[in-house]
Amino acid sequence: MKIVIAGAGEVGFHLAKLLSFESQDITLIDVDKDSISYADTHLDIRTIRGDSTSIAVLKEARIDTTDLIIAVTASETTNITVCVLAKQMGAKRTIARISNTEFIENQEVAGFKKFGIDELISPESLAASEIELLLNQSAFNDSYEFENGALTMVGTSLSRTASFVGKSVKEAARIFPTLHFMPIAIQREGTQYTLIPRGDTIFKEGDQVYFMTVKEGVEELYKLTGKMKQEIRNVMILGGSKIGYKTARDLCSHNFKVKLVEKDNDKAYDLAENLPKTLVINGDGRNVELLEEENIYDMDAFIAVTGNSETNIMSCLVAKSKSVKKTIALVENMDYFQLSHSIGIDTLINKKLLAANNIFRYIRKGDVVAMTKLNNMNAELLEFSAKPNSKVIGKRIRDLDFPRSATIGGIVRDGKGIIPLGENRIEVGDRIVVCCLLRSINKVERMFI
């Protein structure tokens, strides 16, 4: 697949890096000499230094033969312009990164597709949505919804009180035959090794386990994993960034009580005007005395989304020491992201990874309608649409030639989630959620083409 990426910043470079691992034909464009030079020496891709809104530069990138152009520069206007030009010059598909979430909320009204922009993505909007979902599934440290919650993926670390610790997957299924979930990936404590569980896989204390479940299965998982469902209503947000603003706005609309701490005086006043239901505090959130004055002990959740990863991590650790139930930190450094389950913070989120996950579904073969990468694991969740000519149609799941490093975690049929067993057959129109290690993705994709 021939892909052109406009913008070698944090999102563009990260995308180019991920896609280069998959041997895609990547061209990266950026006007900044240092960014392009760094990408050229660190990635096996083609680079062009120049303005991505220049017709000459787009011609040099052979835009007329491009399958997909992804515009992810820091400028929203540039990204929109690039996509419009690229479409007119022959690019098959276009994706623009934007920061104004109104554009996403009113896509049909604005008619972006008429201009030549196929998809809009906002890393800030994705991060805010991820935070809200994590607060709703408060006992879990990772979650993702398919088809408006018909299926939900949740991740949690198993404590010794979990009912099935020490039992195999097969034994757990026998003991709890009426349960509506299944394990889809496990990472052993202290390792970087991801395994796709089979019937003889033993659950161990400290495992980071990802489950696929239907709506009624979430409550069952709370009980069996030994987690307490915590009612989260009082939330403190550190940082009045775009993510902080959108998170506060969305949480207030769902009746959360929100305090937002912003140290910049002018920004704090603007936020207070635009967020009438949020208590905006002008102060330095790194100041422990300030946090105590604002009753951090009474907070159910603390969310740090400043532009500094270290500040976010340290302030979350302070909040955790003050007995805050749920802590979420925004980090830009991928090295920190790898530490998510060992530094004492419930969840780390990363805009680059969220944006990449969102974009990747347009690159996968087969009819992929949604996807996500599991935090800190070399596994992906892909949602395929079963077409009439797919190799899986009409076959029982147990009879499919599925690689051992992949598993079908769930089926959505007529809007209803199904946790599949070996006897289930796949029908035309089904949405199939597959969890697979990176090495088996190509084989899985071919089954749904």
Side-chain angles (χ1 to χ4, degrees):
M1 193 174 190
K2 188 175 185 317
I3 302 168
V4 173
I5 300 172
E10 55 185 28
V11 176
F13 179 84
H14 185 63
L15 267 173
K17 181 180 178 181
L18 291 177
L19 292 170
S20 68
F21 291 156
E22 303 198 348
S23 303
Q24 305 281 4
D25 180 3
I26 308 297
T27 300
L28 183 64
I29 305 171
D30 200 287
V31 73
D32 184 73
K33 179 182 177 183
D34 293 337
S35 297
I36 279 296
S37 177
Y38 185 82
D40 195 39
T41 54
H42 286 79
L43 302 177
D44 183 22
I45 61 172
R46 181 179 177 226
T47 59
I48 298 174
R49 185 188 170 200
D51 183 354
S52 51
T53 61
S54 162
I55 291 175
V57 169
L58 291 175
K59 283 181 177 177
E60 187 183 346
R62 300 191 293 273
I63 204 71
D64 57 323
T65 59
T66 295
D67 297 302
L68 175 67
I69 180 159
I70 306 167
V72 287
T73 74
S75 167
E76 183 179 83
T77 307
T78 298
N79 296 337
I80 291 172
T81 304
V82 168
C83 287
V84 172
L85 287 172
K87 195 76 167 186
Q88 294 300 316
M89 294 172 70
K92 292 188 179 71
R93 195 168 185 84
T94 62
I95 300 175
R97 172 190 177 178
I98 52 100
S99 54
N100 186 346
T101 55
E102 274 192 331
F103 289 162
I104 290 179
E105 293 159 4
N106 299 281
Q107 284 191 62
E108 298 304 319
V109 177
F112 284 101
K113 289 197 175 180
K114 294 176 187 173
F115 301 142
I117 303 170
D118 294 308
E119 299 293 338
L120 296 171
I121 62 156
S122 165
E124 293 80 14
S125 182
L126 291 169
S129 298
E130 178 81 355
I131 289 167
E132 188 172 356
L133 184 59
L134 287 165
L135 293 183
N136 288 330
Q137 308 288 0
S138 58
F140 303 116
N141 53 31
D142 196 7
S143 58
Y144 188 86
E145 287 188 347
F146 293 89
E147 302 298 319
N148 297 315
L151 290 174
T152 301
M153 179 276 294
V154 293
T156 188
S157 181
L158 293 186
S159 62
R160 58 185 177 81
T161 57
S163 302
F164 38 74
V165 165
K167 298 180 176 64
S168 69
V169 172
K170 204 176 282 184
E171 287 171 333
R174 251 196 322 267
I175 297 168
F176 311 109
T178 60
L179 299 189
H180 302 87
F181 63 85
M182 71 178 292
I184 56 172
I186 297 175
Q187 185 178 68
R188 298 294 189 202
E189 185 177 23
T191 74
Q192 294 294 312
Y193 179 65
T194 304
L195 61 93
I196 302 297
R198 296 290 162 188
D200 57 356
T201 303
I202 305 290
F203 292 107
K204 297 181 180 179
E205 181 183 346
D207 281 353
Q208 172 68 18
V209 185
Y210 286 87
F211 296 94
M212 187 65 66
T213 180
V214 293
K215 286 178 181 176
E216 55 267 35
V218 175
E219 293 297 328
E220 295 167 351
L221 273 173
Y222 276 120
K223 297 172 189 171
L224 292 171
T225 56
K227 306 288 182 184
M228 294 291 292
K229 184 169 184 178
Q230 299 157 333
E231 184 70 20
I232 289 185
R233 274 287 159 255
N234 298 306
V235 179
M236 183 177 284
I237 299 172
L238 176 62
S241 60
K242 288 175 182 171
I243 297 174
Y245 167 77
K246 189 173 190 310
T247 301
R249 188 193 68 184
D250 293 351
L251 291 179
C252 285
S253 71
H254 289 96
N255 299 318
F256 286 82
K257 293 180 180 177
V258 180
K259 291 182 178 181
L260 191 154
V261 182
E262 169 55 50
K263 68 177 181 178
D264 182 88
N265 189 56
D266 293 337
K267 200 171 190 179
Y269 275 104
D270 287 342
L271 288 165
E273 281 186 17
N274 292 310
L275 296 169
K277 294 183 180 179
T278 300
L279 176 59
V280 179
I281 300 151
N282 180 209
D284 190 343
R286 295 171 297 182
N287 186 328
V288 178
E289 286 184 6
L290 173 70
L291 296 180
E292 289 177 343
E293 283 174 14
E294 295 303 331
N295 302 319
I296 191 169
Y297 300 99
D298 297 331
M299 293 297 119
D300 300 315
F302 184 89
I303 303 162
V305 287
T306 74
N308 186 290
S309 298
E310 291 81 2
T311 296
N312 295 340
I313 289 171
M314 292 307 297
S315 58
C316 277
L317 290 175
V318 169
K320 206 68 181 173
S321 74
K322 305 298 180 185
S323 303
V324 176
K325 300 171 192 170
K326 184 87 171 177
T327 53
I328 301 172
L330 175 74
V331 295
E332 295 303 326
N333 189 319
M334 292 299 285
D335 295 331
Y336 294 158
F337 195 64
Q338 299 296 322
L339 303 172
S340 58
H341 303 309
S342 61
I343 62 177
I345 296 171
D346 294 308
T347 308
L348 300 182
I349 59 172
N350 181 278
K351 288 190 300 182
K352 291 179 281 190
L353 198 55
L354 290 170
N357 287 348
N358 199 266
I359 290 169
F360 253 60
R361 62 194 172 108
Y362 303 107
I363 295 153
R364 293 287 175 223
K365 295 170 188 165
D367 194 356
V368 178
V369 290
M371 71 152 288
T372 186
K373 192 175 187 302
L374 301 184
N375 285 354
N376 200 18
M377 300 172 87
N378 62 330
E380 286 185 5
L381 270 177
L382 299 160
E383 181 186 355
F384 293 94
S385 179
K387 297 297 183 185
N389 56 346
S390 297
K391 296 174 184 175
V392 297
I393 295 299
K395 293 183 179 178
R396 295 185 305 176
I397 288 174
R398 70 167 70 252
D399 297 332
L400 295 176
D401 182 25
F402 235 62
R404 286 190 63 79
S405 52
T407 185
I408 293 178
I411 298 172
V412 179
R413 182 175 296 158
D414 299 324
K416 184 173 171 55
I418 301 168
I419 300 302
L421 301 172
E423 295 300 317
N424 285 100
R425 294 180 187 270
I426 296 174
E427 300 176 4
V428 175
D430 284 352
R431 299 292 179 97
I432 318 297
V433 178
V434 178
C435 181
C436 52
L437 301 188
L438 301 185
R439 66 174 179 267
S440 59
I441 285 175
N442 288 339
K443 184 173 181 180
V444 170
E445 285 175 337
R446 286 196 294 271
M447 300 184 75
F448 289 92
I449 292 176

